[in-house]
Amino acid sequence: MRNSRIIGAGMFVPPKVVTNDDLSKLMDTSDEWIVERSGIKERRYAEDGVGVSDLAVEASKKALAQAGLEPKDIDLIIFATLSPDYYFPGSGVLLQHKLGCRDIAAIDIRQQCSGFIYGLSIADQYIKTGQSERVLVVGAEIHSCGLDFSTRGRDVTVLFGDGAGVVILAPGEAGKGILSTHLHSDGGHFDKLWTPAPMACRHPRLSHEILDQGLHYPIMDGKFIFKMAIGKFAEIVEDALRANGYTLEDLDLFIPHQANLRISNMVGKKLGLPDEKVFNNIQKYGNTTAGSIPIAISEALEQGKIKEGSLVCLASFGSGLTWASALIRW
Ligand code: ACO
């Protein structure tokens, strides 16, 4: 069976920079608290009226240019986001149209922080089975218009930012490309990190009462997520290496979902990885959820941290709960 490999990557973040000091003018928080607890110094916010599909168009253009392809060459779009432009339809179809692709399949998936690795895994299967030749995998998020900017929401709001990352997958030679993917979920803890409203199981889905209670804003049990994340991140990196007969010493770069710098540092230490093998850019962008790993891939390639032949492990943990990893030989 043939393998799939990444032949192009691109990222786009909105130009508007929002610093911790900017947030401290809106709510009771401080640069010191945010940096100490999360490592985040600033994040990007999209302008009003810009949707995730718009960010994805810009990131896709860069990935296509890097791969030497045009929109008509893509035969499948997989779009991971928890913040689609509209309640329905999904953002995949909007990207298909805005980018000028043929009338190809567009699949939206909702696995939050693990969305990109889930998407990569789906794309990998389509290529392995010969169903697709060029797959665009998107992770994109616009959090800024869905956050509570009062002190009530400060624990969540300071962590998140907007951005998009895209990779293009194509068939590759054996022993190279995506070696394996490992996907998990546990819906038993769905309410440890979630946005309760609008609720599709209630009539009406949205009301003044719901808005007054702030149920349309994300709610997180930060301590629970923190502890679970450290254990699960380490577990899935080891699973991915073991499945392919490698050890941590073989790994050239670990790209964790950019949830929190403290989480990434603690996972790196737990695994015994030197700091230079753990990729971090959360300081500049905050947590861009599905966007964080493809944005990191783009930057790691640009910075020469991923080279031909590098062994790279991607890992994520987040809302769902979902957690996932992918091992890639570049
Ligand atoms: N600014 C200032 N003070 C704050 C803020 C803020 N933005 N947010 C919370 N506080 C206060 C709390 O109200 C609390 O005050 P109190 O002691 O008077 O009650 C105090 O700071 C400590 O709050 P804790 O919740 O105990 O702080 P903690 O050390 O747990 O840090 C944090 C909170 C950063 C959210 C942490 O729990 C965390 O990182 N959790 C992981 C969550 C995460 O990374 N989520 C990302 C999404 S999921 C994912 O991507 C994996």
Side-chain angles (χ1 to χ4, degrees):
M1 203 184 285
R2 62 187 189 167
N3 252 12
S4 71
R5 70 186 175 104
I6 292 174
I7 58 164
M11 62 164 282
F12 180 76
V13 289
K16 184 177 170 187
V17 176
V18 176
T19 64
N20 295 341
D21 286 336
D22 292 333
L23 292 181
S24 68
K25 289 175 194 136
L26 303 171
M27 62 186 80
D28 183 10
T29 191
S30 66
D31 178 56
E32 194 190 359
W33 193 96
I34 301 170
V35 171
E36 189 193 310
R37 308 289 173 120
S38 71
I40 299 164
K41 297 197 168 93
E42 58 189 42
R43 72 287 290 144
R44 304 297 183 95
Y45 283 179
E47 295 298 333
D48 204 31
V50 172
V52 274
S53 63
D54 299 309
L55 303 188
V57 166
E58 298 309 316
S60 299
K61 285 180 186 165
K62 293 181 188 169
L64 285 165
Q66 197 177 89
L69 297 177
E70 291 180 28
K72 67 174 173 43
D73 299 320
I74 299 299
D75 55 15
L76 173 64
I77 291 171
I78 299 175
F79 201 123
T81 186
L82 66 73
S83 50
D85 302 56
Y86 304 108
Y87 200 66
F88 74 85
S91 295
V93 296
L94 300 179
L95 178 63
Q96 175 275 331
H97 174 67
K98 290 179 184 177
L99 197 57
C101 294
R102 292 176 286 123
D103 60 351
I104 53 171
I107 302 172
D108 274 54
I109 58 165
R110 297 282 304 270
Q111 273 70 25
Q112 297 67 246
C113 305
S114 301
F116 177 75
I117 300 181
Y118 265 71
L120 198 70
S121 179
I122 297 168
D124 183 40
Q125 313 310 316
Y126 268 83
I127 286 182
K128 276 190 173 133
T129 55
Q131 279 273 104
S132 302
E133 296 296 318
R134 305 273 184 269
V135 186
L136 197 82
V137 185
V138 184
E141 230 60 85
I142 290 191
H143 284 296
S144 56
C145 58
L147 298 170
D148 182 353
F149 287 97
S150 73
T151 295
R152 174 180 65 181
R154 64 182 178 174
D155 59 326
V156 174
T157 298
V158 300
L159 299 177
F160 291 96
D162 303 344
V166 168
V167 301
I168 297 171
L169 258 69
E173 55 195 280
K176 274 199 153 186
I178 297 176
L179 304 181
S180 64
T181 55
H182 307 263
L183 312 181
H184 299 276
S185 70
D186 179 0
H189 299 298
F190 78 96
D191 56 356
K192 297 295 185 194
L193 179 50
W194 69 316
T195 301
M199 298 171 218
C201 56
R202 291 274 169 81
H203 187 272
R205 289 180 175 171
L206 207 50
S207 64
H208 289 293
E209 209 183 341
I210 288 173
L211 294 176
D212 289 344
Q213 290 169 8
L215 295 175
H216 57 304
Y217 294 128
I219 298 170
M220 175 177 71
D221 180 341
K223 283 193 198 313
F224 178 89
I225 294 288
F226 194 94
K227 272 192 219 138
M228 268 299 255
I230 290 165
K232 292 296 182 195
F233 266 117
E235 198 177 292
I236 44 178
V237 171
E238 285 171 340
D239 286 352
L241 289 166
R242 199 177 315 111
N244 293 282
Y246 290 115
T247 68
L248 282 156
E249 299 201 336
D250 299 312
L251 198 59
D252 294 303
L253 191 64
F254 168 43
I255 300 185
H257 157 55
Q258 304 291 297
N260 183 318
L261 190 61
R262 276 200 305 160
I263 294 180
S264 298
N265 287 344
M266 285 172 87
V267 173
K269 283 206 174 60
K270 195 174 162 88
L271 292 170
L273 287 170
D275 290 350
E276 63 274 15
K277 287 194 176 183
V278 182
F279 189 87
N280 294 304
N281 63 6
I282 192 169
Q283 299 90 332
K284 296 185 287 181
Y285 306 128
N287 181 339
T288 56
T289 309
S292 94
I293 292 178
I295 289 173
I297 290 174
S298 255
E299 289 202 334
L301 283 166
E302 206 175 279
Q303 295 164 11
K305 290 184 176 167
I306 300 177
K307 301 183 190 74
E308 185 75 26
S310 295
L311 188 67
V312 179
C313 189
L314 315 176
S316 62
F317 174 84
S319 160
L321 300 175
T322 56
W323 59 104
S325 63
L327 195 68
I328 304 175
R329 174 69 75 186
W330 231 270

